[in-house]
Amino acid sequence: MALKIYNTLTRKKEDFKPLHEGHVGMYVCGPTVYGHSHIGHGKSYVSFDVIVRYLRYSKYTVEYVQNITDVGHLLGDTNEGEDRLLKQSRLEHKHPMEIAEFYTRSYFEDMDALGVVRPDISPRATGHIIEQIEIIKHLMEKGFAYEVNGSVYFDVSKDKEYGKLSGRSTEDAEAGTRVGVKTEKRHPNDFALWKFAEPEHIMRWPSPWGVGFPGWHIECSAMSMKYLGETFDIHGGGMDNQFPHHECEIAQSECATGKPFVRHWIHNNLVTVNGQKMSKSLGNFTLLKDLFKKHDPLVVRFFILQSHYHSTLDFTDEALEGASKGYEKLFNTVRNVRAELKRRNDEELPAGGMTIDIAGFKSQFLEAMNDDFNTPQAMAILFEVAREVNSELAEARLLPNQMKEIDEFFMELGGTILGIFPTQTDVRFGDDGSLEPGLVELIIDLRNEIRKQKLWTLSDQIRDGLQKLGIVLEDKKDTTTWKRA
RNA sequence: GGCGCCGUACCCAAGUGGUAAGGGAGAGGUCUGCAAAACCUUUAUGCGGCGGUUCGAAUCCGUCCGGCGCCUCCA
């Protein structure tokens, strides 16, 4: 079954066909680094991470580029706006580059925790000023841009296709423009490619039009095309960037090269908090670092993937609690299979007798993923398998080779593709190479001797004591398992 | 005003023409020294309301109601 992806450009689910067979060039708009990442970043980059992981699983070679915006762009295309990075640097009394560096590290820290695989290239906007100027020069030469007082603007009226992504005409946009705003632009929809720098503007570069800094949209065109070519396969980003950002990217890129810019546009939907829009201007955003204090980052990842990337996701305590319990249940199964496998690894038993159709479930899972990355559907499959496995496990009916097959199923689909299970040596598996597992197992053995003698008070005392240390014991039919709380 | 999205059980959430996945919570049961975990049963004759197309619609069309997003920085 072929992979289908919803394409914002055509508003249809399409068969995915890369430009060059077996290879995918993918660009996703990265963060502007002037603050810690919030749950919106989490949803966005986890969603695209699964897309990259799945493409790679599907045997594509993926070149994944995600920019770091370290130029603080103006709030709007007029001169009265304020540079966000500069504002933050003033607040923190640090050089803008130090601000950018600090929050870039913070960003990667949070993404690492969420299990997001790092992009192949994380280009910085400030490192590609020359490339940006080159595109602007082309646009000037071709008559798509004009200069006013040291700033350069894209002339929207010259681009007949402007509006094809967002589906809005320039007339529509004009009707919604506030009146009374003074501008040096010829048309309200024209956007800045290069801005003249006032003396107090710290981040500044020389250009053919004087000292200034690049406009907001041009960096993505410059960096994506530099690393992926003038036409590439997938461009992703948040729905809020569909207009004007991506519309402008298309305009300036296609007018500069005369070639189609992007084949598939993928937009992930936004996050709400308790039913309300989360935005910087409303100031109600939840930082990932704060959320991680209450929930395991992998639970957050699980929660995100439990809804489709194209749907809005409402962060409420109740929903997150539910996700946490669900994750615990699923992961318990994975952990128990692993533990049981380890315990009985040496047994030589005849194969066969497997009543769980692992191959069938696997193809159902892949079918869900092929249908525009339907992760909620895919995760439902994992739960169905877990239920059957738990059943068999409780009756001790599984043989080591069968458990191995189940373990591989979970690690491949839940681990490699969805990234919701940690790697095998993770502390969550109680197997991180420390002394602890051996000690706990020794205590369990001793306690089971005590239980044979029916010394319940003492055995409960041991269990409670371990509980306080964060070790949870579970007495099963003929064995006792443990996990970290 | 323009463009667009959504409305599925107490909560979260799949399902785009064939008779309602999955998770959480609740109820009952099994197992168990207890606890925990797990398993089984159960919880929407109905998918915002009303019309229409169809043998058949949560799914398509119309309309109304309700919620939201973009049009200004944001993933």
Side-chain angles (χ1 to χ4, degrees):
Chain A
M1 189 193 167
L3 172 63
K4 286 187 189 301
I5 303 178
Y6 182 84
N7 188 351
T8 312
L9 200 56
T10 58
R11 279 164 242 276
K12 281 199 291 262
K13 229 186 254 183
E14 297 174 344
D15 284 333
F16 178 64
K17 286 261 186 322
L19 194 57
H20 305 288
E21 203 183 323
H23 180 86
V24 178
M26 175 161 160
Y27 184 90
V28 170
C29 287
T32 301
V33 282
Y34 66 104
H36 291 299
S37 303
H38 51 67
I39 53 181
H41 294 110
K43 172 169 161 67
S44 184
Y45 299 121
V46 164
S47 298
F48 287 113
D49 179 53
V50 169
I51 289 174
V52 170
R53 283 166 177 258
Y54 190 63
L55 289 170
R56 289 195 172 130
Y57 177 83
S58 304
K59 300 281 183 274
Y60 289 107
T61 310
V62 181
E63 179 101 48
Y64 181 26
V65 181
Q66 187 193 97
N67 64 295
I68 295 288
T69 297
D70 55 359
V71 180
H73 295 293
L74 294 182
L75 302 167
D77 281 329
T78 47
N79 279 323
E80 75 233 45
E82 192 172 15
D83 182 308
R84 303 197 300 277
L85 259 161
L86 287 184
K87 186 181 172 193
Q88 193 65 29
S89 86
R90 210 176 53 241
L91 286 172
E92 296 192 25
H93 302 291
K94 286 172 183 160
H95 190 278
M97 268 322 229
E98 194 177 341
I99 296 294
E101 193 60 37
F102 178 79
Y103 289 112
T104 299
R105 291 178 197 181
S106 164
Y107 167 72
F108 282 123
E109 204 175 279
D110 293 341
M111 293 304 128
D112 288 349
L114 284 171
V116 172
V117 176
R118 294 211 181 181
D120 298 302
I121 305 176
S122 301
R124 271 71 167 171
T126 54
H128 298 75
I129 300 295
I130 291 168
E131 288 84 349
Q132 297 179 58
I133 289 173
E134 281 306 306
I135 295 177
I136 300 169
K137 273 159 69 180
H138 278 302
L139 289 169
M140 285 289 275
E141 285 160 17
K142 291 185 171 183
F144 288 108
Y146 56 92
E147 183 195 343
V148 187
N149 303 327
S151 293
V152 181
Y153 295 95
F154 184 90
D155 187 345
V156 167
S157 67
K158 298 275 167 55
D159 179 17
K160 291 182 291 294
E161 300 205 346
Y162 187 81
K164 68 180 176 184
L165 179 71
S166 55
R168 68 186 84 200
S169 66
T170 48
E171 293 75 34
D172 291 340
E174 198 168 3
T177 306
R178 287 168 302 178
V179 282
V181 176
K182 271 202 169 175
T183 175
E184 54 192 25
K185 295 187 290 186
R186 288 180 192 166
H187 184 284
N189 256 45
D190 290 354
F191 54 91
L193 295 167
W194 187 263
K195 294 290 290 183
F196 168 77
E198 302 292 342
E200 65 272 20
H201 205 100
I202 304 171
M203 298 180 99
R204 54 205 287 138
W205 294 267
S207 80
W209 315 282
V211 173
F213 56 97
W216 173 34
H217 314 298
I218 195 71
E219 62 172 270
C220 284
S221 291
M223 295 188 280
S224 61
M225 292 196 288
K226 168 161 182 167
Y227 298 109
L228 300 173
E230 292 177 339
T231 300
F232 57 92
D233 298 301
I234 296 175
H235 188 129
M239 272 182 185
D240 52 340
N241 273 335
Q242 196 173 318
F243 187 89
H245 186 53
H246 294 153
E247 194 69 63
C248 295
E249 266 188 67
I250 294 175
Q252 68 203 178
S253 303
E254 300 196 341
C255 288
T257 66
K259 293 174 189 163
F261 179 47
V262 169
R263 294 155 61 90
H264 283 80
W265 281 90
I266 302 179
H267 288 96
N268 76 282
N269 215 141
L270 307 185
V271 149
T272 54
V273 179
N274 295 318
Q276 206 195 12
K277 172 199 175 178
M278 187 186 76
S279 75
K280 300 204 167 165
S281 49
L282 286 177
N284 65 338
F285 50 97
T286 305
L287 298 182
L288 287 169
K289 287 190 195 318
D290 291 330
L291 192 63
F292 293 165
K293 289 173 193 160
K294 282 163 74 181
H295 298 282
D296 186 323
L298 289 186
V299 166
V300 176
R301 184 180 175 103
F302 172 89
F303 177 64
I304 290 167
L305 295 177
Q306 229 180 353
S307 81
H308 190 84
Y309 77 86
H310 212 261
S311 309
T312 51
L313 180 60
D314 192 28
F315 274 74
T316 63
D317 285 335
E318 198 181 1
L320 233 17
E321 276 310 315
S324 182
K325 298 255 178 65
Y327 179 76
E328 181 74 13
K329 176 181 178 168
L330 192 58
F331 188 52
N332 269 342
T333 304
V334 176
R335 181 163 41 201
N336 286 338
V337 169
R338 176 67 57 81
E340 187 65 4
L341 184 59
K342 201 169 150 194
R343 200 171 70 87
R344 294 173 55 187
N345 209 16
D346 297 333
E347 283 181 45
E348 283 294 333
L349 289 166
M354 174 77 122
T355 54
I356 305 172
D357 181 15
I358 289 295
F361 281 118
K362 182 172 168 178
S363 76
Q364 283 183 52
F365 180 99
L366 298 179
E367 207 175 302
M369 289 303 290
N370 276 332
D371 184 16
D372 199 25
F373 312 104
N374 193 335
T375 54
Q377 182 87 279
M379 292 213 288
I381 308 293
L382 297 187
F383 275 101
E384 281 183 48
V385 174
R387 184 169 41 77
E388 293 200 17
V389 168
N390 286 333
S391 237
E392 297 294 300
L393 219 47
E395 301 298 320
R397 276 200 291 256
L398 292 174
L399 304 176
N401 61 309
Q402 296 167 342
M403 288 190 277
K404 197 159 179 289
E405 191 182 338
I406 292 163
D407 186 48
E408 279 164 6
F409 171 87
F410 281 127
M411 292 323 287
E412 188 175 317
L413 307 185
T416 307
I417 296 177
L418 296 180
I420 54 175
F421 300 139
T423 53
Q424 306 186 0
T425 53
D426 190 274
V427 65
R428 296 177 184 86
F429 274 119
D431 190 10
D432 55 349
S434 73
L435 197 56
E436 192 180 271
L439 289 175
V440 174
E441 268 147 43
L442 176 64
I443 293 169
I444 286 175
D445 287 345
L446 293 172
R447 175 169 170 274
N448 281 338
E449 286 303 317
I450 291 166
R451 289 176 70 220
K452 271 183 200 161
Q453 297 170 40
K454 300 194 191 299
L455 298 171
W456 306 126
T457 313
L458 190 54
S459 83
D460 287 352
Q461 206 179 324
I462 293 170
R463 189 174 59 199
D464 294 345
L466 285 174
Q467 171 92 272
K468 281 187 186 125
L469 296 172
I471 303 289
V472 178
L473 298 192
E474 289 172 7
D475 294 322
K476 302 289 169 60
K477 207 164 194 168
D478 57 349
T479 178
T480 298
T481 61
W482 69 280
K483 64 182 178 187
R484 285 184 176 81

